[in-house]
Amino acid sequence: MPKLYEMKDRESNRKTNVHRDWETWEAENADKNKACLAEMQSILKQFEVVDKELYELFKMSEESFRVPTEDDMWKLMQCDSFQNRIDDQPVFSLFWLTPEDVDKTHDRDFLSKFSYVGLDLIELRAVYACLPGNFVNDPDSSKHRWRLQVREKLYKMTEKERKGMLGPEERRHLVYSYLPSEIKLTL
């Protein structure tokens, strides 16, 4: 029967290896995560411009009594569906914050407002890239636990992708395929 100190040594080694594995995984995925964050920021910036132009177009149509074209209506529907995606995912607001500002965010927001459920792989990578490595302003460790949950989900999705088992909706939400042509996707 193993002695208590031997069991403690094995447990300590196991924890060290797990910690080292997470460090390796994070290092291997850091560039991909940052690229996904840049992609999401770019999409949202481009969408804001297209949406504003569309708003102006319809405003002018009302003033001049011009009937919008079928293309204008199609673009409006595309923008509406993407706007719904943005509205349904308040966690996207983290894309514009520095890690220090994310750390200052109230811990209750992570538990209620910032849900990562239903995010595709690119969105989830972007969210993870926004998060600080360690939360300083986290007295009850709730932000840290939330970060670990996001990391665990992201890890599972990247493993599914590596094995070729990631579904198209998990890779990229369907709404991105209906974005107006002016919005360029790189990933």
Side-chain angles (χ1 to χ4, degrees), residues 42-117:
S42 173
I43 290 169
L44 292 171
K45 284 178 187 174
Q46 292 176 70
F47 175 74
E48 190 176 317
V49 170
V50 170
D51 196 43
K52 190 174 187 176
E53 289 171 355
L54 194 59
Y55 171 78
E56 292 297 323
L57 177 82
F58 276 89
K59 184 177 172 186
M60 288 184 340
S61 295
E62 288 175 4
E63 291 170 357
S64 64
F65 301 106
R66 180 181 77 78
V67 176
T69 66
E70 190 174 321
D71 288 342
D72 294 340
M73 294 305 290
W74 176 245
K75 192 183 287 188
L76 179 65
M77 289 186 342
Q78 291 169 319
C79 287
D80 280 349
S81 64
F82 189 67
Q83 185 63 53
N84 290 339
R85 179 76 177 161
I86 294 170
D87 293 343
D88 290 345
Q89 301 295 344
V91 73
F92 288 178
S93 64
L94 295 177
F95 296 160
W96 309 111
L97 301 178
T98 65
E100 294 78 25
D101 290 335
V102 172
D103 186 34
K104 292 176 187 174
T105 304
H106 197 281
D107 58 342
R108 296 285 178 227
D109 288 342
F110 289 94
L111 301 175
S112 59
K113 183 178 177 184
F114 298 142
S115 174
Y116 55 87
V117 175

Side-chain angles (χ1 to χ4, degrees), residues 111-128:
L111 301 175
S112 59
K113 183 178 177 184
F114 298 142
S115 174
Y116 55 87
V117 175
L119 296 181
D120 64 38
L121 178 60
I122 293 173
E123 293 167 343
L124 194 60
R125 281 184 179 279
V127 167
Y128 194 71

Side-chain angles (χ1 to χ4, degrees), residues 124-168:
L124 194 60
R125 281 184 179 279
V127 167
Y128 194 71
C130 298
L131 303 176
N134 291 310
F135 287 98
V136 177
N137 185 19
D138 190 21
D140 65 351
S141 298
S142 58
K143 294 179 193 179
H144 177 72
R145 284 191 302 275
W146 187 86
R147 181 185 182 278
L148 292 179
Q149 291 169 349
V150 170
R151 181 180 73 182
E152 184 66 30
K153 181 170 183 178
L154 181 56
Y155 173 76
K156 287 177 182 176
M157 290 180 82
T158 57
E159 283 300 298
K160 283 176 77 173
E161 180 185 43
R162 187 179 61 78
K163 294 175 183 175
M165 298 174 61
L166 192 68

Side-chain angles (χ1 to χ4, degrees), residues 21-44:
D21 291 344
W22 278 121
E23 286 178 351
T24 303
W25 180 85
E26 289 203 18
E28 290 171 352
N29 285 275
D31 289 340
K32 291 178 186 175
N33 295 344
K34 289 176 187 173
C36 289
L37 175 59
E39 169 84 350
M40 289 303 299
Q41 289 172 332
S42 173
I43 290 169
L44 292 171

